[in-house]
Amino acid sequence: MADLSVNLNGFKLKNPIMTASGTFGYCDEFEDFLDVSKLGAIVTKAITINPKKGNEGERIFETQKGMINRIGLENVGIKEFIDKKLPVLKEKNINFIMNLAGSSFEDYIETAKIAQNAKIEAIEVNVSCPNVKSGCLEFGTTPESLSKLTESIRKVYKGFLIIKLTPNVSDIESLALAAQNSGADCISAINTIKGLGIKIEITPDKKFKKTFVQGGLSGRCIKPVALSMVKRIKSMVKIPIIGIGGIATLDDVLEFLTAGADAVQIGTENFTHPDICEKLINELNHLLDELNIADIEELKRKLRE
């Protein structure tokens, strides 16, 4: 059997297949469909200092090969996460990364402190969600603001620190470099792309009824953008990269590893194929055995030759 394990700067995964934040719940919601403990890791829904109800109105809009969401980071808050969700993760031995978001600089720091005190091994800092009124994206679009936030979190949080970058910028390279130089252990890329969905219906009285959903575009349609940005980030940083964006098949996983990713997160595909992560792990294992490749490091070397 090939060795699928991955070491991301000291944070160890059974394999390079993870779930993306906001697409897999908090811990065991998908147990009816797959063995969650087999995954490299799950990334929780974004956790904020206080509970959030999320946005009102229509929050999901299907597009060709993707979807637009404006959920608005609905979550239970850090206290309930630690009291009720964390024990389940530990009891079931599920490797996880807590996604962390905030509406203000102070929110991020306080939540990171609580994560440190709770001995949460890894956090993914969300500075890239485009569908909230304040926070997240405003901290992740300039190297200066990202550096300040990353340095401040690093002072209070000693675990594995991932910065999740936005594609809604012109110079993602400078942001990746700022994250690395400010103490990040790893970069995940990309979050969703700003998009607008419009649905037009004709009413019985022959008028147009219009529905607008503006939020984050995800799914297979964004894969070329994600691949490009992972490759650009790889040219600038030495820390590991987690690739995200439109992954649905083993070929997609191989493409991200070729572009420079060390592991991947599966997002939108979980909604239509809830067993996709376990399926990809099995297919990856079979491929390495078939090609007589010993481990993921050898696979990456061959893909990048």
Tab-separated table of all heavy atoms in Angstrom, residues 215-262:
chain	number	residue	atom	x	y	z
A	215	GLY	N	-22.975	36.951	-4.048
A	215	GLY	CA	-22.182	36.306	-3.008
A	215	GLY	C	-20.947	35.662	-3.578
A	215	GLY	O	-20.329	36.179	-4.505
A	216	GLY	N	-20.586	34.501	-3.035
A	216	GLY	CA	-19.363	33.828	-3.432
A	216	GLY	C	-19.625	32.686	-4.396
A	216	GLY	O	-20.393	31.772	-4.105
A	217	LEU	N	-18.985	32.739	-5.547
A	217	LEU	CA	-19.109	31.702	-6.573
A	217	LEU	C	-18.107	30.589	-6.294
A	217	LEU	O	-16.918	30.841	-6.077
A	217	LEU	CB	-18.850	32.298	-7.955
A	217	LEU	CG	-18.822	31.327	-9.142
A	217	LEU	CD1	-20.202	30.723	-9.380
A	217	LEU	CD2	-18.314	32.033	-10.395
A	218	SER	N	-18.594	29.345	-6.307
A	218	SER	CA	-17.726	28.190	-6.083
A	218	SER	C	-18.135	27.066	-7.022
A	218	SER	O	-19.116	27.170	-7.751
A	218	SER	CB	-17.829	27.723	-4.626
A	218	SER	OG	-19.142	27.254	-4.342
A	219	GLY	N	-17.375	25.975	-6.986
A	219	GLY	CA	-17.699	24.834	-7.824
A	219	GLY	C	-16.732	24.679	-8.984
A	219	GLY	O	-15.728	25.381	-9.105
A	220	ARG	N	-17.054	23.732	-9.862
A	220	ARG	CA	-16.139	23.369	-10.952
A	220	ARG	C	-15.784	24.548	-11.852
A	220	ARG	O	-14.700	24.585	-12.433
A	220	ARG	CB	-16.748	22.245	-11.789
A	220	ARG	CG	-16.974	20.961	-11.014
A	220	ARG	CD	-17.408	19.838	-11.927
A	220	ARG	NE	-17.783	18.649	-11.154
A	220	ARG	CZ	-17.958	17.459	-11.685
A	220	ARG	NH1	-17.805	17.277	-12.973
A	220	ARG	NH2	-18.293	16.426	-10.914
A	221	CYS	N	-16.688	25.515	-11.960
A	221	CYS	CA	-16.452	26.648	-12.866
A	221	CYS	C	-15.267	27.516	-12.449
A	221	CYS	O	-14.714	28.247	-13.274
A	221	CYS	CB	-17.712	27.503	-12.980
A	221	CYS	SG	-18.329	28.123	-11.395
A	222	ILE	N	-14.836	27.454	-11.188
A	222	ILE	CA	-13.742	28.331	-10.750
A	222	ILE	C	-12.381	27.625	-10.740
A	222	ILE	O	-11.368	28.241	-10.401
A	222	ILE	CB	-14.006	28.952	-9.366
A	222	ILE	CG1	-13.813	27.922	-8.243
A	222	ILE	CG2	-15.386	29.585	-9.292
A	222	ILE	CD1	-13.715	28.553	-6.856
A	223	LYS	N	-12.336	26.353	-11.158
A	223	LYS	CA	-11.072	25.607	-11.055
A	223	LYS	C	-9.916	26.257	-11.812
A	223	LYS	O	-8.809	26.355	-11.262
A	223	LYS	CB	-11.265	24.161	-11.529
A	223	LYS	CG	-10.024	23.297	-11.273
A	223	LYS	CD	-10.192	21.879	-11.781
A	223	LYS	CE	-10.094	21.805	-13.283
A	223	LYS	NZ	-9.972	20.433	-13.804
A	224	PRO	N	-10.085	26.729	-13.058
A	224	PRO	CA	-8.944	27.343	-13.745
A	224	PRO	C	-8.373	28.551	-13.007
A	224	PRO	O	-7.154	28.767	-13.003
A	224	PRO	CB	-9.529	27.746	-15.106
A	224	PRO	CG	-10.673	26.817	-15.319
A	224	PRO	CD	-11.260	26.619	-13.953
A	225	VAL	N	-9.241	29.330	-12.377
A	225	VAL	CA	-8.775	30.485	-11.601
A	225	VAL	C	-7.980	30.000	-10.388
A	225	VAL	O	-6.896	30.516	-10.083
A	225	VAL	CB	-9.961	31.354	-11.143
A	225	VAL	CG1	-9.481	32.509	-10.270
A	225	VAL	CG2	-10.734	31.879	-12.348
A	226	ALA	N	-8.506	28.999	-9.706
A	226	ALA	CA	-7.835	28.469	-8.513
A	226	ALA	C	-6.474	27.884	-8.862
A	226	ALA	O	-5.481	28.123	-8.159
A	226	ALA	CB	-8.717	27.417	-7.850
A	227	LEU	N	-6.407	27.112	-9.949
A	227	LEU	CA	-5.129	26.537	-10.364
A	227	LEU	C	-4.101	27.620	-10.664
A	227	LEU	O	-2.931	27.521	-10.263
A	227	LEU	CB	-5.333	25.660	-11.605
A	227	LEU	CG	-5.981	24.296	-11.382
A	227	LEU	CD1	-6.347	23.669	-12.718
A	227	LEU	CD2	-5.060	23.367	-10.599
A	228	SER	N	-4.536	28.644	-11.362
A	228	SER	CA	-3.629	29.745	-11.691
A	228	SER	C	-3.082	30.405	-10.436
A	228	SER	O	-1.879	30.689	-10.330
A	228	SER	CB	-4.362	30.784	-12.553
A	228	SER	OG	-3.564	31.928	-12.749
A	229	MET	N	-3.961	30.626	-9.473
A	229	MET	CA	-3.522	31.322	-8.261
A	229	MET	C	-2.637	30.445	-7.389
A	229	MET	O	-1.687	30.944	-6.774
A	229	MET	CB	-4.736	31.859	-7.508
A	229	MET	CG	-5.427	32.963	-8.286
A	229	MET	SD	-6.454	34.039	-7.289
A	229	MET	CE	-6.688	35.418	-8.429
A	230	VAL	N	-2.907	29.157	-7.337
A	230	VAL	CA	-2.022	28.251	-6.599
A	230	VAL	C	-0.624	28.264	-7.222
A	230	VAL	O	0.387	28.327	-6.515
A	230	VAL	CB	-2.598	26.818	-6.579
A	230	VAL	CG1	-1.542	25.813	-6.121
A	230	VAL	CG2	-3.810	26.760	-5.652
A	231	LYS	N	-0.561	28.226	-8.534
A	231	LYS	CA	0.739	28.248	-9.219
A	231	LYS	C	1.478	29.560	-8.958
A	231	LYS	O	2.701	29.574	-8.732
A	231	LYS	CB	0.550	28.039	-10.722
A	231	LYS	CG	1.843	27.759	-11.476
A	231	LYS	CD	1.561	27.336	-12.910
A	231	LYS	CE	2.826	26.839	-13.596
A	231	LYS	NZ	3.891	27.840	-13.643
A	232	ARG	N	0.742	30.663	-8.970
A	232	ARG	CA	1.367	31.964	-8.701
A	232	ARG	C	1.876	32.044	-7.260
A	232	ARG	O	2.965	32.557	-7.002
A	232	ARG	CB	0.358	33.081	-8.986
A	232	ARG	CG	0.101	33.295	-10.472
A	232	ARG	CD	-1.166	34.095	-10.726
A	232	ARG	NE	-1.139	35.405	-10.076
A	232	ARG	CZ	-2.180	36.236	-10.056
A	232	ARG	NH1	-3.319	35.871	-10.632
A	232	ARG	NH2	-2.085	37.409	-9.464
A	233	ILE	N	1.088	31.538	-6.331
A	233	ILE	CA	1.509	31.535	-4.919
A	233	ILE	C	2.756	30.671	-4.744
A	233	ILE	O	3.695	31.049	-4.039
A	233	ILE	CB	0.360	31.032	-4.023
A	233	ILE	CG1	-0.791	32.045	-4.016
A	233	ILE	CG2	0.851	30.776	-2.596
A	233	ILE	CD1	-2.072	31.496	-3.419
A	234	LYS	N	2.768	29.508	-5.397
A	234	LYS	CA	3.894	28.594	-5.276
A	234	LYS	C	5.201	29.256	-5.703
A	234	LYS	O	6.272	28.962	-5.148
A	234	LYS	CB	3.637	27.344	-6.123
A	234	LYS	CG	4.739	26.288	-6.061
A	234	LYS	CD	4.863	25.695	-4.677
A	234	LYS	CE	5.894	24.572	-4.647
A	234	LYS	NZ	6.074	24.023	-3.275
A	235	SER	N	5.127	30.151	-6.666
A	235	SER	CA	6.339	30.819	-7.152
A	235	SER	C	6.910	31.807	-6.144
A	235	SER	O	8.048	32.264	-6.300
A	235	SER	CB	6.037	31.558	-8.469
A	235	SER	OG	5.216	32.703	-8.233
A	236	MET	N	6.133	32.129	-5.089
A	236	MET	CA	6.539	33.175	-4.152
A	236	MET	C	6.862	32.666	-2.754
A	236	MET	O	7.615	33.317	-2.030
A	236	MET	CB	5.428	34.235	-4.034
A	236	MET	CG	5.185	35.026	-5.304
A	236	MET	SD	6.616	35.958	-5.839
A	236	MET	CE	6.748	37.146	-4.509
A	237	VAL	N	6.294	31.546	-2.340
A	237	VAL	CA	6.436	31.138	-0.937
A	237	VAL	C	7.057	29.755	-0.819
A	237	VAL	O	7.042	28.952	-1.755
A	237	VAL	CB	5.077	31.154	-0.199
A	237	VAL	CG1	4.437	32.536	-0.272
A	237	VAL	CG2	4.134	30.091	-0.762
A	238	LYS	N	7.581	29.493	0.379
A	238	LYS	CA	8.179	28.196	0.682
A	238	LYS	C	7.300	27.356	1.596
A	238	LYS	O	7.524	26.158	1.747
A	238	LYS	CB	9.548	28.400	1.323
A	238	LYS	CG	10.556	29.064	0.398
A	238	LYS	CD	11.895	29.253	1.074
A	238	LYS	CE	12.894	29.914	0.125
A	238	LYS	NZ	14.218	30.141	0.785
A	239	ILE	N	6.310	27.987	2.234
A	239	ILE	CA	5.430	27.242	3.125
A	239	ILE	C	4.421	26.429	2.307
A	239	ILE	O	4.184	26.720	1.128
A	239	ILE	CB	4.704	28.173	4.123
A	239	ILE	CG1	3.898	29.248	3.374
A	239	ILE	CG2	5.687	28.807	5.082
A	239	ILE	CD1	3.104	30.159	4.299
A	240	PRO	N	3.823	25.382	2.893
A	240	PRO	CA	2.876	24.538	2.153
A	240	PRO	C	1.644	25.313	1.685
A	240	PRO	O	1.269	26.336	2.259
A	240	PRO	CB	2.488	23.465	3.174
A	240	PRO	CG	3.558	23.482	4.201
A	240	PRO	CD	4.058	24.889	4.263
A	241	ILE	N	1.023	24.764	0.646
A	241	ILE	CA	-0.182	25.347	0.057
A	241	ILE	C	-1.267	24.282	0.006
A	241	ILE	O	-1.023	23.147	-0.410
A	241	ILE	CB	0.081	25.864	-1.370
A	241	ILE	CG1	1.196	26.917	-1.374
A	241	ILE	CG2	-1.202	26.429	-1.984
A	241	ILE	CD1	1.726	27.225	-2.754
A	242	ILE	N	-2.471	24.659	0.443
A	242	ILE	CA	-3.647	23.804	0.305
A	242	ILE	C	-4.489	24.379	-0.829
A	242	ILE	O	-4.915	25.532	-0.781
A	242	ILE	CB	-4.469	23.765	1.600
A	242	ILE	CG1	-3.619	23.223	2.758
A	242	ILE	CG2	-5.725	22.911	1.411
A	242	ILE	CD1	-4.247	23.424	4.127
A	243	GLY	N	-4.709	23.581	-1.874
A	243	GLY	CA	-5.453	24.052	-3.039
A	243	GLY	C	-6.941	23.806	-2.891
A	243	GLY	O	-7.366	22.739	-2.447
A	244	ILE	N	-7.729	24.800	-3.279
A	244	ILE	CA	-9.189	24.725	-3.168
A	244	ILE	C	-9.806	25.375	-4.405
A	244	ILE	O	-9.347	26.432	-4.843
A	244	ILE	CB	-9.720	25.491	-1.939
A	244	ILE	CG1	-8.835	25.290	-0.717
A	244	ILE	CG2	-11.168	25.126	-1.639
A	244	ILE	CD1	-9.089	26.309	0.387
A	245	GLY	N	-10.859	24.753	-4.931
A	245	GLY	CA	-11.595	25.416	-6.008
A	245	GLY	C	-11.987	24.473	-7.128
A	245	GLY	O	-11.186	24.193	-8.025
A	246	GLY	N	-13.200	23.946	-7.084
A	246	GLY	CA	-13.734	23.162	-8.192
A	246	GLY	C	-13.235	21.738	-8.280
A	246	GLY	O	-13.328	21.106	-9.336
A	247	ILE	N	-12.722	21.185	-7.191
A	247	ILE	CA	-12.187	19.826	-7.226
A	247	ILE	C	-13.324	18.816	-7.114
A	247	ILE	O	-14.098	18.849	-6.165
A	247	ILE	CB	-11.161	19.614	-6.104
A	247	ILE	CG1	-9.985	20.585	-6.282
A	247	ILE	CG2	-10.664	18.171	-6.094
A	247	ILE	CD1	-9.020	20.617	-5.127
A	248	ALA	N	-13.384	17.907	-8.108
A	248	ALA	CA	-14.467	16.927	-8.135
A	248	ALA	C	-14.001	15.544	-8.553
A	248	ALA	O	-14.720	14.574	-8.370
A	248	ALA	CB	-15.575	17.391	-9.086
A	249	THR	N	-12.799	15.444	-9.131
A	249	THR	CA	-12.294	14.172	-9.643
A	249	THR	C	-10.838	13.994	-9.232
A	249	THR	O	-10.171	14.947	-8.801
A	249	THR	CB	-12.370	14.118	-11.176
A	249	THR	OG1	-11.432	15.069	-11.717
A	249	THR	CG2	-13.766	14.445	-11.685
A	250	LEU	N	-10.321	12.771	-9.420
A	250	LEU	CA	-8.916	12.514	-9.139
A	250	LEU	C	-8.026	13.346	-10.056
A	250	LEU	O	-6.973	13.848	-9.628
A	250	LEU	CB	-8.606	11.029	-9.308
A	250	LEU	CG	-7.154	10.623	-9.021
A	250	LEU	CD1	-6.742	10.982	-7.603
A	250	LEU	CD2	-6.942	9.145	-9.294
A	251	ASP	N	-8.425	13.528	-11.304
A	251	ASP	CA	-7.644	14.378	-12.213
A	251	ASP	C	-7.507	15.796	-11.653
A	251	ASP	O	-6.442	16.420	-11.765
A	251	ASP	CB	-8.304	14.436	-13.593
A	251	ASP	CG	-8.047	13.180	-14.416
A	251	ASP	OD1	-7.150	12.391	-14.029
A	251	ASP	OD2	-8.733	12.985	-15.426
A	252	ASP	N	-8.577	16.301	-11.061
A	252	ASP	CA	-8.517	17.642	-10.458
A	252	ASP	C	-7.474	17.684	-9.344
A	252	ASP	O	-6.697	18.643	-9.229
A	252	ASP	CB	-9.883	18.040	-9.890
A	252	ASP	CG	-10.962	18.151	-10.946
A	252	ASP	OD1	-10.637	18.420	-12.106
A	252	ASP	OD2	-12.144	17.958	-10.591
A	253	VAL	N	-7.465	16.651	-8.497
A	253	VAL	CA	-6.489	16.586	-7.405
A	253	VAL	C	-5.079	16.614	-7.972
A	253	VAL	O	-4.208	17.369	-7.505
A	253	VAL	CB	-6.701	15.306	-6.558
A	253	VAL	CG1	-5.588	15.168	-5.520
A	253	VAL	CG2	-8.061	15.326	-5.882
A	254	LEU	N	-4.826	15.811	-9.002
A	254	LEU	CA	-3.494	15.747	-9.607
A	254	LEU	C	-3.097	17.089	-10.213
A	254	LEU	O	-1.926	17.497	-10.150
A	254	LEU	CB	-3.453	14.654	-10.673
A	254	LEU	CG	-3.726	13.218	-10.187
A	254	LEU	CD1	-3.677	12.246	-11.351
A	254	LEU	CD2	-2.753	12.808	-9.096
A	255	GLU	N	-4.055	17.789	-10.790
A	255	GLU	CA	-3.763	19.103	-11.373
A	255	GLU	C	-3.325	20.097	-10.300
A	255	GLU	O	-2.391	20.882	-10.502
A	255	GLU	CB	-4.996	19.627	-12.117
A	255	GLU	CG	-5.298	18.875	-13.412
A	255	GLU	CD	-6.655	19.222	-13.982
A	255	GLU	OE1	-7.207	20.285	-13.631
A	255	GLU	OE2	-7.190	18.424	-14.774
A	256	PHE	N	-3.991	20.070	-9.145
A	256	PHE	CA	-3.609	20.985	-8.071
A	256	PHE	C	-2.232	20.631	-7.504
A	256	PHE	O	-1.434	21.520	-7.203
A	256	PHE	CB	-4.671	20.989	-6.966
A	256	PHE	CG	-5.767	21.981	-7.208
A	256	PHE	CD1	-6.880	21.634	-7.950
A	256	PHE	CD2	-5.679	23.272	-6.696
A	256	PHE	CE1	-7.894	22.560	-8.198
A	256	PHE	CE2	-6.683	24.202	-6.925
A	256	PHE	CZ	-7.794	23.848	-7.680
A	257	LEU	N	-1.938	19.333	-7.367
A	257	LEU	CA	-0.610	18.939	-6.909
A	257	LEU	C	0.451	19.376	-7.909
A	257	LEU	O	1.542	19.821	-7.534
A	257	LEU	CB	-0.560	17.424	-6.705
A	257	LEU	CG	-1.459	16.836	-5.616
A	257	LEU	CD1	-1.302	15.318	-5.566
A	257	LEU	CD2	-1.169	17.440	-4.255
A	258	THR	N	0.140	19.284	-9.193
A	258	THR	CA	1.065	19.729	-10.237
A	258	THR	C	1.316	21.223	-10.149
A	258	THR	O	2.453	21.698	-10.319
A	258	THR	CB	0.504	19.376	-11.628
A	258	THR	OG1	0.275	17.973	-11.711
A	258	THR	CG2	1.458	19.801	-12.736
A	259	ALA	N	0.278	21.987	-9.874
A	259	ALA	CA	0.385	23.455	-9.815
A	259	ALA	C	1.157	23.936	-8.591
A	259	ALA	O	1.607	25.085	-8.565
A	259	ALA	CB	-1.009	24.083	-9.831
A	260	GLY	N	1.299	23.073	-7.580
A	260	GLY	CA	2.067	23.477	-6.403
A	260	GLY	C	1.411	23.197	-5.071
A	260	GLY	O	2.005	23.452	-4.017
A	261	ALA	N	0.188	22.667	-5.084
A	261	ALA	CA	-0.485	22.360	-3.816
A	261	ALA	C	0.132	21.129	-3.164
A	261	ALA	O	0.606	20.218	-3.848
A	261	ALA	CB	-1.978	22.137	-4.053
A	262	ASP	N	0.114	21.110	-1.839
A	262	ASP	CA	0.596	19.961	-1.073
A	262	ASP	C	-0.557	19.113	-0.556
A	262	ASP	O	-0.360	17.959	-0.171
A	262	ASP	CB	1.446	20.451	0.100
A	262	ASP	CG	2.654	21.237	-0.374
A	262	ASP	OD1	3.621	20.603	-0.825
A	262	ASP	OD2	2.615	22.481	-0.325
